[in-house]
Amino acid sequence: MNQGEQLTALIAEDDFAQKQLLIRFAEEHHLIVVDTVSSGNKLVDKYIELQPDLILTDINLDDISGLKACRLIKAKGYDPCIIVVTALTDMKYAEESFEIDSLSLMLKPVTSERFKKSLEKAKKHLTQKRKQSPAAGSNDERLIRFKQKICDLDGRNIQRELYVKEEKIVYISKDSKQISIKWTDSHSVQTIHTSSTLKELNAATSPLLFQCNKSQLVNVRYIQKICADLITPGNYEILLYGVPESLTLSRSCFAHFERARKLMAEEKGVQDAVLRQ
């Protein structure tokens, strides 16, 4: 982490007083609280939507527990940084919290000093994690960095950076002024919005994720079929694995597709040769 970089946090707590206390401690230690939730299901939904650096969660939440919610998040392919906050002292909860790879178990009543120690541990973990993540490498390891604007609890706009593996991106689309990234977590297709431009994203990705028309980039890995566009002669329709919508491959971008298809064939040939050795 860069010096002075602020972390974003999502707080899951069903007790109002405890929630306000956690918000106060978070702000005192320069965390940006992007949202608060009181139920386990909302914790899952909000984490996927906002992808904060840190989850602060109580065990007892409405509907499902914070521990179960974190397990569901991890089952979807995410790797959240988790701090568990609880008044429960039963050792089984401590064991369960470590099973979801929580970094710390803060017992209530939470103090500013306990909060600070847990946060320092989280910062060290995130620093190490980012050092181990390759910014580039083989195409399957390429991390695409993009910008996103979100709001904190006071409605202030925050610009932050997120990363997603290129191999997980299905396509990127510009709709009016909004750029959306469709990506798969192996269980479902997710959408995340970005303030990065299509031009910036095109420059950051490999030729395997190519521009198929003036407002979309598509990952050749997810192309199921190319067929003639019945509406616009000369254009093509792209059918994708895992998503119901189709994309347009314009005549002017067909060379990009040919290049991507050739590169993917070469990549597969190298992988097959390695397997035969």
Side-chain angles (χ1 to χ4, degrees):
M1 284 172 52
N2 298 326
Q3 188 175 6
E5 181 181 350
Q6 287 185 283
L7 299 179
T8 53
L10 174 62
I11 294 175
E13 172 61 70
D14 62 347
D15 181 89
F16 179 78
Q18 290 295 324
K19 184 183 296 184
Q20 293 304 115
L21 183 66
L22 290 174
I23 291 172
R24 179 162 67 84
F25 286 156
E27 291 175 346
E28 283 178 2
H29 293 89
H30 310 293
L31 276 178
I32 298 170
V33 180
V34 293
D35 211 341
T36 64
V37 296
S38 58
S39 79
N41 284 322
K42 287 182 179 178
L43 171 56
V44 176
D45 293 341
K46 279 296 177 181
Y47 179 85
I48 291 172
E49 176 188 345
L50 300 172
Q51 294 187 42
D53 297 304
L54 183 62
I55 293 174
L56 288 162
T57 182
D58 190 9
I59 291 178
N60 285 335
L61 298 175
D62 297 341
D63 55 55
I64 62 173
S65 75
L67 296 176
K68 184 174 181 180
C70 288
R71 280 196 292 271
L72 289 173
I73 290 169
K74 291 178 75 70
K76 289 179 177 291
Y78 298 92
D79 185 22
C81 186
I82 305 164
I83 294 176
V84 176
V85 186
T86 185
L88 302 172
T89 56
D90 192 319
M91 280 302 296
K92 75 174 183 178
Y93 294 112
E95 292 172 0
E96 285 186 47
S97 71
F98 291 122
E99 285 174 3
I100 60 168
D101 299 323
S102 69
L103 298 174
S104 182
L105 182 66
M106 281 197 295
L107 291 177
K108 296 178 182 178
V110 177
T111 64
S112 182
E113 187 60 30
R114 286 180 184 174
F115 192 99
K116 181 181 178 182
K117 287 181 179 179
S118 293
L119 182 56
E120 286 175 350
K121 190 173 182 180
K123 286 180 177 179
K124 288 180 182 177
H125 173 79
L126 285 167
T127 299
Q128 188 63 29
K129 184 178 176 182
R130 291 176 185 180
K131 283 180 179 178
Q132 292 173 348
S133 296
S138 69
N139 288 323
D140 284 350
E141 293 176 332
R142 183 186 294 269
L143 286 178
I144 306 305
R145 181 176 64 182
F146 60 94
K147 295 175 288 187
Q148 186 187 59
K149 287 182 181 178
I150 55 174
C151 293
D152 64 10
L153 292 180
D154 296 321
R156 292 172 298 199
N157 285 326
I158 301 155
Q159 180 100 308
R160 63 173 181 166
E161 291 184 344
L162 293 176
Y163 296 83
V164 64
K165 284 187 177 182
E166 182 180 290
E167 66 170 339
K168 291 181 176 290
I169 299 174
V170 181
Y171 70 90
I172 301 171
S173 185
K174 179 181 179 181
D175 180 14
S176 187
K177 291 186 178 180
Q178 189 174 63
I179 307 290
S180 301
I181 299 174
K182 286 273 189 179
W183 65 285
T184 178
D185 58 12
S186 301
H187 299 275
S188 60
V189 175
Q190 310 289 340
T191 302
I192 190 164
H193 301 299
T194 174
S195 54
S196 295
T197 66
L198 202 66
K199 184 177 180 180
E200 289 171 338
L201 292 169
N202 196 10
T205 56
S206 78
L208 292 175
L209 210 157
F210 66 95
Q211 187 156 3
C212 58
N213 57 65
K214 66 179 182 179
S215 60
Q216 291 176 318
L217 308 176
V218 64
N219 197 329
V220 71
R221 301 171 179 91
Y222 294 94
I223 294 180
Q224 181 182 14
K225 187 178 180 181
I226 299 283
C227 50
D229 190 328
L230 300 179
I231 298 174
T232 307
N235 286 351
Y236 300 86
E237 184 180 13
I238 302 174
L239 303 181
L240 300 166
Y241 291 107
V243 295
E245 59 268 28
S246 62
L247 308 182
T248 296
L249 174 59
S250 65
R251 283 174 289 184
S252 60
C253 292
F254 191 81
H256 300 323
F257 164 64
E258 290 281 81
R259 181 188 180 194
R261 183 169 62 176
K262 182 179 178 181
L263 286 172
M264 188 174 69
E266 290 173 355
E267 183 182 276
K268 187 176 184 303
V270 170
Q271 291 172 351
D272 290 344
V274 170
L275 289 174
R276 287 195 298 267
Q277 289 179 357

